[in-house]
Amino acid sequence: MRMRTTRTMHARARALLAAVCVPPVLLPCLLPGVLMAAAWEPADILIRGGTVYTGAEVPPQQGDVVVTGDKIVYVGPDAGARYRARRVVDARGKIVAPGFIDAHAHPETYIRSADPTQRLNAPWLFQGVSTVVIGVDGYGTPDLATERAWFQAHPIGTNVVAYVGFGAVREAVLQHAARAPTPPELDSMRALVATGMCEGAIGLSTGLFYDPQSYAKTDEVIALAREAAKRGGIYDTHQRDESSYTIGLLASVEETLEIGREAKLPVHFAHLKALGVDVQGSAPQVIALIEAARAAGQDVTADQYPWTASGSSLSAALLPRWSTDGGRAALLQRLDDPAQLEQIRVEMQENLRRRGGAQSLLMIDADRSWTGQTLAQLAARWAVDPIDAALRVIRGDEQGDSVASFNMTEDDIRLFMRQPWVVTSSDGSDGHPRQYATFPMKYAKYVRADRVIGIDEFIRSSTGRTADLLKLDRRGYLLAGYFADVVVFDPARYAPKADYVHPRVLSAGVEELLINGRPALQGGKLTRAARGRMLLHAPTPGTCP
Ligand SMILES: [Zn+2]
């Protein structure tokens, strides 16, 4: 294939030469360079000789990728015979793929920084990620117009895609109230979701695990999801219960599926997992529920991060929901009331058991005296009960209680990872190594070391499949006419460098990363180009003012 194409190109050049070198047109024959230029198309970047994975379900090919402006113009063999590029990237021995898409991320510290260097979003660039999904867990603002203006005025390194968040909408109307909305309040909430969708959100995200979102009943969520459905959006959820806190994992999966059926839109499970000792090992049942829904025609997908510890806070992991109703001030009041404190302690004890005990919670906030210690170690150091140690941290500082909670089994992680409807996400939040190392971790551990999935599946689940489910316009594939988000990485060196105790170490092995056609990483180094865009979903025609 390759040889034939080369010969064809050379034959074309010879024919052109012969045609022009007939007298009286002699002059051009003295200038073969000029002649050849007629056969070449100018291009900006030619990535040559790599193993090219296009993001689709097709085997990789040795070949080239050519970029001009912000678009891919050619993918295939022997681009050098047709294109003359201003810059050539030697990708021999390297893997060339679409830039990775992170389906669930928390990059706020970076992309909202006043510092342009921070806004390059380097933790993601060094993983080969070109697009991050924000506004997840129900926290996305409905005011996407302001978001967009902000990102235009404060350029960022990666593309962003945003959800409008149920939590942001509910708090805007009901604040922290633990009750259902009145009909006029529900109308106000609907209008806010509509605003977000009309300004380019890709759907509605919820975090029904978190208060005050947890106060919402299923029908309230369905009513709002319908506003996203109308405009072609999807429903993304950090579901009500990933464990055995309230309704239980399986009932929570059922609730999510019901929301999709009733509101008539695709549902997407954020960071799918079986969390805690009561539900560990139930991945097969979760998968069976989702497979049954898919077999019945429902559009159901999920994302997943490849780590056995989730990131949370002591408050969210241990405190009973009712204790935080009304916000932090109300919580502190309850902790000062001996009767309520006793009930809180009892429920915290149960939540700690569910999570796997005090040794399974690792304190990961930077620069605290307890950073890198488990709750068990901290309790021993303070010579108090683990619950009292947790309460001391919670009372003392609302920002300082982040934990890595080791609560998932490898078996569940591997089974979820093999499902053809699961994509990669980092859930990357401050202090957890997944923020810096999720994609290389999935590759180094689950592809190379343990062979849980193939490299083709790793790339597909990090690119094209994700772009499809998020309905991104011309992203996620290496195809002519698509936006030039392209990663080149060394398959031998691509690996995580961060760990739980040193979570902020950049990953290794990405040599080139193009975002909208411009190198964000070149020769493995930051270029400082901030060419990320906010990618807006086009709402269904006729559904917006
Ligand atoms: Zn979440």
Side-chain angles (χ1 to χ4, degrees):
M1 187 66 193
R2 180 178 187 150
M3 289 307 294
R4 197 160 57 236
T5 310
T6 308
R7 244 181 266 131
T8 308
M9 295 303 295
H10 289 169
R12 225 171 80 184
R14 267 201 309 276
L16 189 64
L17 205 71
V20 185
C21 287
V22 176
V25 195
L26 267 173
L27 187 60
C29 298
L30 305 173
L31 300 164
V34 173
L35 261 185
M36 288 309 288
W40 276 322
E41 294 175 35
D44 290 334
I45 300 171
L46 193 166
I47 300 169
R48 187 169 58 197
T51 302
V52 179
Y53 288 80
T54 63
E57 224 140 344
V58 295
Q61 301 265 352
Q62 293 301 119
D64 307 328
V65 175
V66 183
V67 169
T68 293
D70 64 356
K71 298 282 175 15
I72 296 165
V73 294
Y74 175 84
V75 181
D78 296 309
R82 182 168 155 198
Y83 293 95
R84 172 166 283 180
R86 289 194 292 134
R87 187 172 152 245
V88 175
V89 177
D90 182 2
R92 285 172 297 175
K94 309 290 157 53
I95 287 173
V96 183
F100 299 141
I101 301 167
D102 186 344
H104 187 107
H106 298 280
E108 281 69 24
T109 302
Y110 301 92
I111 62 175
R112 300 196 195 283
S113 170
D115 175 358
T117 304
Q118 287 281 92
R119 285 202 310 274
L120 295 174
N121 211 10
W124 275 268
L125 296 181
F126 280 86
Q127 299 180 62
V129 171
S130 55
T131 299
V132 295
V133 178
I134 61 170
V136 292
D137 294 330
Y139 297 124
T141 172
D143 187 2
L144 265 74
T146 300
E147 284 274 271
R148 188 178 166 197
W150 198 88
F151 287 129
Q152 270 166 359
H154 304 83
I156 54 175
T158 57
N159 300 314
V160 290
V161 176
Y163 287 104
V164 51
F166 172 60
V169 165
R170 196 177 208 272
E171 280 191 61
V173 176
L174 289 175
Q175 289 79 48
H176 257 76
R179 62 170 174 84
T182 64
E185 284 168 342
L186 186 63
D187 283 345
S188 303
M189 289 161 70
R190 275 204 192 101
L192 285 172
V193 174
T195 298
M197 289 303 303
C198 289
E199 290 175 358
I202 53 169
L204 176 70
S205 79
T206 66
L208 299 184
F209 173 67
Y210 300 105
D211 66 75
Q213 299 179 66
S214 57
Y215 305 136
K217 300 255 171 25
T218 309
D219 57 355
E220 177 185 333
V221 182
I222 291 170
L224 297 186
R226 283 194 177 119
E227 296 300 318
K230 239 184 253 177
R231 296 169 179 86
I234 72 171
Y235 175 78
D236 167 90
T237 186
H238 176 155
Q239 58 181 321
R240 197 179 292 276
D241 198 350
E242 298 178 317
S243 183
S244 56
Y245 280 107
T246 51
I247 59 174
L249 172 61
L250 297 181
S252 179
V253 171
E254 302 256 34
E255 180 190 36
T256 304
L257 297 175
E258 181 192 347
I259 291 166
R261 278 194 309 272
E262 293 297 319
K264 297 190 170 56
L265 81 177
V267 292
H268 180 81
F269 289 88
H271 42 60
L272 188 60
K273 64 172 83 75
L275 186 160
V277 294
D278 294 338
V279 298
Q280 280 166 2
S282 56
Q285 290 99 298
V286 171
I287 290 166
L289 287 174
I290 293 174
E291 288 287 0
R294 285 171 57 89
Q298 207 179 335
D299 193 341
V300 188
T301 55
D303 61 69
Q304 178 204 33
Y305 55 80
W307 305 85
T308 53
S310 63
S312 190
S313 63
L314 281 181
S315 311
L318 298 182
L319 289 174
R321 283 289 158 273
W322 59 266
S323 70
T324 56
D325 179 13
R328 181 163 172 81
L331 167 69
L332 292 177
Q333 260 180 21
R334 290 187 183 104
L335 293 177
D336 287 337
D337 169 3
Q340 293 194 69
L341 174 62
E342 189 44 40
Q343 185 56 32
I344 289 170
R345 287 182 50 95
V346 167
E347 294 190 39
M348 285 177 76
Q349 197 71 53
E350 167 62 7
N351 288 340
L352 186 60
R353 179 200 66 77
R354 184 180 279 129
R355 291 253 169 191
Q359 69 285 349
S360 72
L361 296 179
L362 180 69
M363 315 287 292
I364 56 174
D365 264 297
D367 306 325
R368 306 275 157 178
S369 71
W370 51 72
T371 304
Q373 292 190 337
T374 64
L375 182 60
Q377 289 169 324
L378 185 60
R381 191 176 110 200
W382 286 345
V384 296
D385 177 88
I387 297 299
D388 287 321
L391 282 170
R392 197 187 287 188
V393 174
I394 290 168
R395 272 180 198 270
D397 185 345
E398 62 186 305
Q399 298 299 323
D401 66 340
S402 295
V403 290
S405 170
F406 289 84
N407 51 43
M408 283 165 264
T409 67
E410 278 290 345
D411 283 353
D412 284 337
I413 289 174
R414 286 158 196 241
L415 198 54
F416 284 135
M417 193 178 287
R418 288 197 205 99
Q419 304 310 310
W421 38 265
V422 171
V423 301
T424 317
S425 66
S426 70
D427 198 10
S429 46
D430 296 338
H432 191 298
R434 65 193 182 188
Q435 191 177 53
Y436 278 69
T438 283
F439 288 76
M441 179 62 137
K442 185 169 175 177
Y443 172 79
K445 179 173 169 61
Y446 294 93
V447 176
R448 289 196 78 194
D450 297 352
R451 300 182 181 277
V452 175
I453 56 169
I455 184 167
D456 50 346
E457 172 63 13
F458 163 67
I459 289 173
R460 173 112 182 96
S461 65
S462 304
T463 59
R465 185 181 298 153
T466 321
D468 289 348
L469 78 89
L470 299 174
K471 304 181 187 178
L472 301 185
D473 177 22
R474 287 167 289 165
R475 306 272 172 182
Y477 294 91
L478 298 183
L479 284 175
Y482 273 51
F483 289 95
D485 296 340
V486 186
V487 62
V488 179
F489 67 91
D490 182 339
R493 287 198 310 118
Y494 185 53
K497 295 291 170 193
D499 60 32
Y500 289 103
V501 182
H502 309 97
R504 291 177 182 80
V505 187
L506 296 166
S507 291
V510 173
E511 304 204 338
E512 183 86 18
L513 178 64
L514 305 185
I515 293 179
N516 296 306
R518 296 292 290 267
L521 293 180
Q522 192 172 315
K525 295 202 169 63
L526 281 176
T527 63
R528 310 187 66 77
R531 293 309 179 103
R533 298 177 186 166
M534 188 163 185
L535 310 182
L536 302 178
H537 170 74
T540 308
T543 60
C544 291

